[in-house]
Amino acid sequence: FVAHFYTAIYTCGATFHPHRRMNGTCPLFMYYRDRYGLEADVVLHLDDGRYALIECKLGSNEIEEGSSHLIQLHNLIKEHNKTERQMPIREPDLKIVLTGGKYGYTRNDGVHVIPLACLRP
């Protein structure tokens, strides 16, 4: 999924319109914010139903904050699914903090930290 994410961003990075896909093959990019102020800068939806929650942070000092938002969103979905039997929400397949930093890695909480420079061809 991570490799497909890189390809999707590079190939279709200009399609940030929530209601349009190019040739039906590009992923759908959206923004999420709820009434409590919890947000994800980008929600990347693939045609097969998988999706990634993405926070964009310029510096490595903000990685913790971005990761915290993603974990909170994931926990909110899990809490919803405990009581919802008919229409559970699919849990995110990938949580990413996209950063201007130099190093990419996967944190212990499962959040992938990916430098923006990794998205070049």
Side-chain angles (χ1 to χ4, degrees):
F1 187 66
V2 174
H4 187 75
F5 166 77
Y6 288 137
T7 305
I9 294 289
Y10 178 69
T11 307
C12 305
T15 24
F16 283 91
H17 191 278
H19 303 293
R20 178 181 59 207
R21 295 185 191 203
M22 295 176 61
N23 302 327
T25 59
C26 288
L28 178 64
F29 293 87
M30 299 182 80
Y31 170 79
Y32 174 83
R33 181 177 173 88
D34 67 15
R35 63 181 174 223
Y36 306 109
L38 200 53
E39 68 176 0
D41 294 330
V42 179
V43 181
L44 170 69
H45 293 271
L46 300 179
D47 287 335
D48 63 5
R50 293 179 296 166
Y51 73 97
L53 298 175
I54 305 168
E55 276 286 296
C56 302
K57 299 295 179 187
L58 289 177
S60 54
N61 294 338
E62 299 173 342
I63 291 172
E64 187 63 40
E65 177 188 357
S67 296
S68 173
H69 290 166
L70 297 175
I71 296 299
Q72 287 176 20
L73 265 173
H74 192 175
N75 288 339
L76 184 68
I77 292 167
K78 287 195 275 188
E79 283 299 314
H80 169 81
N81 288 344
K82 284 181 183 177
T83 58
E84 182 58 50
R85 299 290 180 216
Q86 289 186 318
M87 300 271 307
I89 299 171
R90 181 182 176 129
E91 292 185 27
D93 296 282
L94 192 59
K95 297 179 293 287
I96 297 172
V97 174
L98 193 59
T99 180
K102 295 180 181 181
Y103 304 104
Y105 56 94
T106 301
R107 296 165 38 106
N108 291 336
D109 57 14
V111 175
H112 299 276
V113 177
I114 301 175
L116 189 59
C118 288
L119 301 181
R120 66 177 180 222

